[in-house]
Amino acid sequence: MITKRQIWLTYFIGLMVLILSMFYFSFWKTNSFKMGDAWGYYAYLPATFIHQDLENLDSSHVIRSKYAGLAILDKKDPFYYREALIGPKGKPVIKYTYGIALLESPFFFMGHIFAKITHTKQDGYSMPYIIALHVGNFLYILTGLLLLYASLLQWFTKKQSLVTVLLIALVTNLLYFSLFNTGMVHGYLFFLYALLIFSTIQFYAKPNFKKASVLAILCSLIVVIRPTEILCLFIPFLYGCGTLPEVKIRFTFWLKKFKWVLAGAVIAIVIAFPQFLYWKYQTGFWLYDSYPIEHFNFLRPEILNGIFSFKNGWLIYTPIMLMALVGLFFIKKKVPQLAYSIVIIFVLHVYIIYCWWSWQYVNGYGSRPMIQIYPLLSFALATVIAMVSKQKWFIQLPFVLFILICTVLNWVHLLQMEAGTLLTEDGTYNLYKASLGKFTSTRKMMYAYDNNLPYADTVGKEKLKTIDFTSFEEKDAAFADSVKVYAGKKSQHLTTQEFGITFSINGTEKVIEKGMYLQFKLWMWLPENHGLYENVLMVITKEAYGKTELWNSIRVENKNPDTGGYSFWWGKQQTWVPVDFTMKIEDDVSPNTIFKCFVWNPRQKEIFIDDASAVLWRDRN
C-alpha cells in the first residue's frame, strides 16, 4: 500500500524534475499543441472557449499558424486547415476526437487564468497555456506511474515493483512524451490504462455499482479517444479468468448484473455524445470517418517493420521491452488474474497498429502507439525482474548490464532528439550508425539520411581522371545564361524546367572497373528551400541491359548548414553549395552498364547549376 507521504513526495520530486527539464530542454516549447496531432487534439478548447469558431476554425487556425511558424495556405487548398479536412458540408472537420481535450481542459483553464494574471495574450497558444498543458501531461503520466506501482504491489515486492516502474518511466520512449512531445495522446492513454487496471483490481475485490460505473467511464473515455482501443474491455471482462469455464462464469456474472451493464452503456453514450454531435453539425452524419484519405490495411500488416525497423521500430528505440516480451511467456504463473487479457490485448494491439498505412507513426520517438499498453506490459516486465532477482549474481549480472545499456541509450537518444541529430521517423541503419552519440549534425549524416548508404568520400584516395565535365560555357549548353555563376561566365539556369544537367557514362568506354570510385559533383544555387517533400535532388542511377540496378537521390537543400548547423530537411540558401555523391563500384562493369547523373527539380522553380563533373578515384596502394 502506498502512503500519502510517499504520494506527495513522488509528486514533489516529479515536479522538480519537470521544472529542471523545462529549463534545460527547449523542444517542448515549439513542438507542443501548435501543430500536428497535438493541435488536433487540443484545438477544441481554444476554438470553443476563446475564439468561438469551432464551426470554421478561421481564427484558431491563423493564430496557431503564427505561433507555429506555419505558412497560411490558399483557402481553396483542401489541406488549408492541415489537421482538419473539409467535410461534406464544406466545413473543416478536426481529424481527432475530443477526448484528449476533455482531459486537458482543467489545465487549459489554469493557463487561461495565468495568462490574465501575467497580462499575456489569452488566445490559447501563448506561453501560459503551453506551460499549463505541459505540466498537465506530466502529472497525468506521473499519476499513471503511481497507480501502476500500486497495482504491481498486488503480485510483486516493493523493490520489484519500484524497479519496474522506474524502467517504464526512464528507459522507454514514454520519457520522450513526458518531457518533449507532450501534446500527443499516448501519455494520457498510459494514465487511463493504468487507472483502468487499478480500478479493475479494486472492483473485483469488492464489486459494487459505483466501481462498475468507474470502469464504464474509463473504458468509454479510452474508446472515444481512440476507437481501436476498444480492446481495453478485455481488462475488466477477463480479469481473474484463466480457463474457458472461468470465462463462462464471468459472462454469467455480468448477465446477472444486467442493470450495471445497461448503466455502463448509458455512460458510454453520454461520453461519446459530444463527439457525435460535433460530427452531425459539421458533416450532417452522426458517425463520420474523419480520416478519409488514411486507412488500415488488414491484409498486409507491417509487424516486423513496426518492431524492428529503424523507422521508429519499437525494439530498436526501446530495447528494454525485450524483457517484457520474454515475461509474456511466464506471466500466467505469476499474475494469473491478468495474464490472458495482457496477452490477448498485446497480440491484437500489435496487429492493429501495424496495419495502419503509416506504420512508422511519424512525429515521435520510437513506436509511440505501444506506449498506451505499457501498463499491461509492465506486469510481464516485472515477472522477469522477479525471476532474475531470485537467481545467483552471475546470472543477474547480464541483466543488470543490459538495463544499464538500455538506460544510457535512451537518455543519449533523448539528448539527441533535443539537439536535432536523431531522426527516427525516417531513420535507416546507416543514418542511425552515422548519428549515434552525436550531438552536432554533420554532412555525413545528411548523406546517410538521403540514401541509406554509408558516406564514401575521397579523402586518402588517388584521383585517376576526370571523365566528364561541363562549365556551361559552350554555345549549345542547355538553359545556360550569365544571371548567376559559380565560375566562368555562364551556368545552367532552370526556371520552369523539371530536369537539369544529365551525365550518361558508358562504364566500359570510360574504363570503370570493379573497386574504383565514381564521383559526381556539381555546384548549385537555390533562392529558397523548396519544401519538406519537394526537395531539389541530384539523382544517380546505374543501368544495365535496359534495367535500372541502382537509383539514389541526394537532397540539395540540406547540404549547406544554417546558423544552427546542418538540418535533415533544409539549410542556408542563396549561396553556392557543392553537392556530390561517390559510389564504389562493387561489381564487374559490363559493356551495357550506363551510369547517369541528373538534377531533378520537382517544383520546377528557379535554380542554378555550375561546374558539373564526373571523376574516377581509387584506393591508394
Side-chain angles (χ1 to χ4, degrees):
M1 188 68 183
I2 308 176
T3 65
K4 289 184 178 180
R5 183 175 178 274
Q6 290 173 324
I7 293 172
W8 285 112
L9 183 62
T10 301
Y11 280 116
F12 176 76
I13 294 173
L15 285 173
M16 290 302 101
V17 171
L18 177 64
I19 291 169
L20 289 173
S21 74
M22 289 169 72
F23 281 104
Y24 183 81
F25 299 123
S26 61
F27 194 74
W28 63 274
K29 298 178 185 177
T30 57
N31 205 51
S32 299
F33 313 104
K34 302 172 188 174
M35 64 180 77
D37 295 15
W39 180 74
Y41 291 118
Y42 171 64
Y44 291 94
L45 293 171
T48 301
F49 297 104
I50 297 177
H51 306 294
Q52 285 87 47
D53 65 347
L54 188 60
E55 181 180 4
N56 54 51
L57 296 176
D58 284 346
S59 296
S60 295
H61 172 60
V62 171
I63 291 171
R64 73 87 179 222
S65 295
K66 289 179 180 178
Y67 277 100
L70 298 173
I72 303 295
L73 305 176
D74 187 322
K75 201 159 186 179
K76 295 179 181 179
D77 191 317
F79 298 100
Y80 171 77
Y81 297 97
R82 299 180 188 272
E83 294 81 13
L85 300 180
I86 303 301
K89 292 176 67 175
K91 298 177 182 180
V93 182
I94 299 172
K95 287 166 54 175
Y96 313 92
T97 54
Y98 89 102
I100 294 299
L102 184 63
L103 294 176
E104 291 173 336
S105 59
F107 300 94
F108 164 77
F109 290 117
M110 289 180 192
H112 195 62
I113 295 169
F114 186 43
K116 184 175 183 179
I117 294 171
T118 57
H119 303 289
T120 308
K121 287 185 178 180
Q122 291 182 285
D123 56 10
Y125 299 98
S126 59
M127 192 51 65
Y129 297 93
I130 301 304
I131 292 174
L133 293 166
H134 187 62
V135 171
N137 175 81
F138 185 83
L139 288 176
Y140 276 119
I141 292 174
L142 191 59
T143 304
L145 291 168
L146 279 170
L147 291 166
L148 182 57
Y149 176 72
S151 298
L152 287 167
L153 287 174
Q154 303 294 317
W155 295 275
F156 302 96
T157 67
K158 289 182 178 180
K159 187 176 180 180
Q160 293 163 357
S161 301
L162 181 61
V163 170
T164 301
V165 169
L166 288 175
L167 290 179
I168 294 293
L170 302 177
V171 196
T172 71
N173 52 341
L174 175 63
L175 181 64
Y176 172 80
F177 292 95
S178 303
L179 301 178
F180 275 19
N181 209 344
T182 54
M184 300 295 280
V185 66
H186 313 290
Y188 298 95
L189 284 175
F190 174 88
F191 158 74
L192 289 174
Y193 266 93
L195 182 54
L196 178 60
I197 293 169
F198 179 82
S199 300
T200 298
I201 296 170
Q202 299 301 311
F203 171 79
Y204 282 106
K206 192 175 182 181
N208 59 45
F209 177 74
K210 184 179 178 180
K211 292 178 181 178
S213 299
V214 170
L215 294 180
I217 291 170
L218 292 173
C219 289
S220 301
L221 264 177
I222 291 171
V223 175
V224 165
I225 289 170
R226 270 201 169 184
T228 53
E229 302 297 330
I230 196 170
L231 299 174
C232 71
L233 292 172
F234 283 116
I235 296 173
F237 184 76
L238 290 182
Y239 181 83
C241 297
T243 63
L244 188 59
E246 288 175 334
V247 174
K248 292 180 179 178
I249 293 171
R250 179 56 44 79
F251 186 73
T252 303
F253 168 82
W254 284 110
L255 281 178
K256 291 179 179 179
K257 304 294 184 181
F258 178 73
K259 291 182 180 180
W260 293 5
V261 175
L262 186 62
V266 172
I267 288 171
I269 292 171
V270 169
I271 290 176
F273 185 72
Q275 189 63 53
F276 297 147
L277 192 63
Y278 172 74
W279 282 335
K280 177 64 176 176
Y281 187 75
Q282 295 295 100
T283 71
F285 301 96
W286 288 104
L287 284 174
Y288 180 71
D289 179 10
S290 56
Y291 288 79
I293 59 175
E294 300 173 75
H295 58 276
F296 287 96
N297 190 342
F298 291 109
L299 297 180
R300 297 186 63 182
E302 295 283 354
I303 295 174
L304 290 179
N305 277 329
I307 295 175
F308 298 110
S309 170
F310 281 89
K311 295 182 187 297
N312 271 339
W314 180 41
L315 294 183
I316 294 295
Y317 299 102
T318 312
I320 192 67
M321 296 310 285
L322 274 168
M323 292 175 61
L325 288 183
V326 173
L328 289 175
F329 293 95
F330 303 96
I331 195 171
K332 184 180 178 182
K333 185 176 181 180
K334 187 66 178 175
V335 193
Q337 293 90 338
L338 279 169
Y340 278 91
S341 57
I342 290 172
V343 172
I344 290 172
I345 290 174
F346 173 76
V347 171
L348 293 177
H349 182 78
V350 166
Y351 171 72
I352 290 170
I353 65 173
Y354 296 132
C355 283
W356 187 239
W357 71 277
S358 180
W359 54 265
Q360 70 272 41
Y361 292 91
V362 299
N363 192 20
Y365 160 57
S367 189
R368 53 186 174 86
M370 290 300 294
I371 291 172
Q372 48 255 42
I373 65 167
Y374 284 175
L376 291 167
L377 292 178
S378 65
F379 289 89
L381 180 59
T383 298
V384 173
I385 292 170
M387 292 168 58
V388 172
S389 66
K390 297 177 182 178
Q391 306 302 315
K392 294 184 177 180
W393 71 268
F394 55 85
I395 295 178
Q396 293 178 352
L397 184 59
F399 285 91
V400 173
L401 291 174
F402 177 69
I403 289 171
L404 287 175
I405 290 170
C406 290
T407 302
V408 172
L409 196 61
N410 197 52
W411 279 89
V412 168
H413 285 166
L414 185 74
L415 294 172
Q416 285 189 272
M417 294 294 286
E418 164 72 11
T421 59
L422 182 65
L423 182 66
T424 63
E425 65 189 43
D426 204 16
T428 62
Y429 167 74
N430 281 301
L431 176 57
Y432 184 79
K433 183 180 176 182
S435 60
L436 182 61
K438 305 269 193 329
F439 301 102
T440 303
S441 297
T442 64
R443 193 176 179 88
K444 184 178 181 180
M445 291 183 199
M446 302 304 109
Y447 279 92
Y449 171 53
D450 288 342
N451 52 52
N452 191 27
L453 291 175
Y455 181 58
D457 57 34
T458 56
V459 176
K461 296 179 175 61
E462 178 186 357
K463 183 178 179 179
L464 294 176
K465 61 178 178 178
T466 299
I467 54 180
D468 209 341
F469 176 81
T470 179
S471 60
F472 304 100
E473 305 295 325
E474 303 87 356
K475 289 183 178 180
D476 59 346
F479 314 121
D481 62 30
S482 58
V483 173
K484 197 174 295 294
V485 297
Y486 169 71
K489 297 180 179 180
K490 291 183 180 180
S491 69
Q492 187 173 69
H493 182 190
L494 304 185
T495 52
T496 60
Q497 295 79 18
E498 185 175 358
F499 298 101
I501 173 69
T502 299
F503 284 133
S504 184
I505 299 170
N506 185 295
T508 52
E509 288 180 6
K510 299 297 183 180
V511 198
I512 299 175
E513 300 176 355
K514 182 179 179 180
M516 293 181 176
Y517 296 85
L518 178 59
Q519 180 193 51
F520 292 102
K521 182 177 181 178
L522 48 83
W523 289 80
M524 297 193 64
W525 194 99
L526 277 65
E528 62 179 350
N529 289 298
H530 282 200
L532 186 57
Y533 301 107
E534 297 174 312
N535 299 101
V536 177
L537 304 173
M538 182 173 83
V539 180
I540 299 91
T541 66
K542 176 186 175 185
E543 301 174 2
Y545 301 99
K547 294 183 178 180
T548 300
E549 296 182 348
L550 177 72
W551 195 100
N552 277 319
S553 62
I554 306 298
R555 294 173 177 85
V556 175
E557 280 93 330
N558 65 3
K559 297 303 179 292
N560 193 38
D562 210 332
T563 53
Y566 283 100
S567 164
F568 289 110
W569 300 285
W570 42 66
K572 183 180 180 181
Q573 305 308 332
Q574 299 188 16
T575 183
W576 285 100
V577 180
V579 185
D580 64 276
F581 180 79
T582 304
M583 59 191 300
K584 186 174 183 179
I585 309 303
E586 301 285 1
D587 303 309
D588 292 325
V589 178
S590 68
N592 292 285
T593 301
I594 303 294
F595 298 94
K596 291 183 179 181
C597 174
F598 61 91
V599 173
W600 185 14
N601 180 24
R603 289 188 67 183
Q604 301 175 35
K605 289 200 170 183
E606 184 179 45
I607 61 174
F608 297 87
I609 309 166
D610 208 350
D611 281 11
S613 62
V615 181
L616 208 55
W617 301 75
R618 70 179 178 189
D619 291 318
R620 293 186 184 275
N621 295 328

